[in-house]
Amino acid sequence: MARLRSGAVTAVVVLVAVSGCKPGQSEGSSGPRGGGSGAVLAAVDSLTVKGRAPKTGYSRTRFGTAWADTDSNSCDTRDDILKRDLRNVRFTGGDCKVSYGLLEPDPYSGKDITYRRGSSQVDIDHVVPLSDAWQKGAKYWDASKRIALANDPLNLIAVDASTNRGKGDGDAATWLPPNTTYRCVYVADQVAVKKKYGLWVTAAEKAAMKKVLTGCPGQKLPTGGNPTRAPERFRAR
């Protein structure tokens, strides 16, 4: 399903062959699901607060091969998310490889962007960066849980590449989307992912999350996505 974007007049619902729904939405619904007003703030309060652990030992490979087909639909995760998030999608060589689509608007910048395969205009962003996850609990997980996080649609979104590159591994205390109308959804997505996977937050991060979310008390907590363990074939990695 297409992500709900704050400030949008109409929510466009696109059915796609991807496990789980775009952060901010739930299966079988055109809007966010979870608790009602205040539920996302309650979820923030439920998160464990600890200091950021050292980055020692982190590498992208600790979260498995990039864009693994964990939902077994024969398409890699990157193309699944492009199909979900872009409009007017075109394919090359079947119905997996997205060759063209429109990101209207990009949630992080608010700009309209045209995606063409092989170009660098669009990134698939981990809403909770993998390095941030590593420093807040994922270091201690088994490989299958890290692979699941890296490929969970709840934690993934197609965004403007240039805007995303400024995010790095920042959490809510150090980076928020320049598009201010999207910040409530963005932070709610981070809360949902951290709650689902049992990741902790720093005190500064929790304060930043609550500061954003108190401005949108009706924001709901997203649910859905993939299981928190990758399928058996990935577990030995």
Side-chain angles (χ1 to χ4, degrees), residues 61 91 109 163 205 212 233:
T61 59
F91 301 93
S109 69
T163 304
E205 180 183 6
V212 171
R233 68 184 185 280

Side-chain angles (χ1 to χ4, degrees), residues 134-220:
W134 178 263
Q135 296 171 79
K136 295 172 182 174
K139 176 180 180 178
Y140 306 104
W141 298 350
D142 60 42
S144 68
K145 187 172 181 179
R146 290 198 291 264
I147 292 167
L149 173 70
N151 294 279
D152 193 332
L154 189 68
N155 192 35
L156 297 169
I157 182 173
V159 296
D160 170 53
S162 62
T163 304
N164 186 48
R165 304 297 162 81
K167 174 181 174 179
D169 62 358
D171 58 25
T174 58
W175 190 91
L176 292 169
N179 179 14
T180 57
T181 63
Y182 191 71
R183 289 180 178 179
C184 286
V185 176
Y186 175 78
V187 172
D189 290 346
Q190 287 197 327
V191 174
V193 171
K194 293 208 164 188
K195 183 174 177 63
K196 178 177 179 178
Y197 283 87
L199 293 164
W200 71 72
V201 294
T202 66
E205 180 183 6
K206 179 178 179 179
M209 287 175 161
K210 296 190 79 167
K211 182 177 180 180
V212 171
L213 293 169
T214 51
C216 42
Q219 179 66 48
K220 295 183 181 180

Side-chain angles (χ1 to χ4, degrees), residues 36 41 56 100 103 112 159-161:
L41 283 169
T56 306
Y100 172 90
L103 187 60
D112 292 345
V159 296
D160 170 53

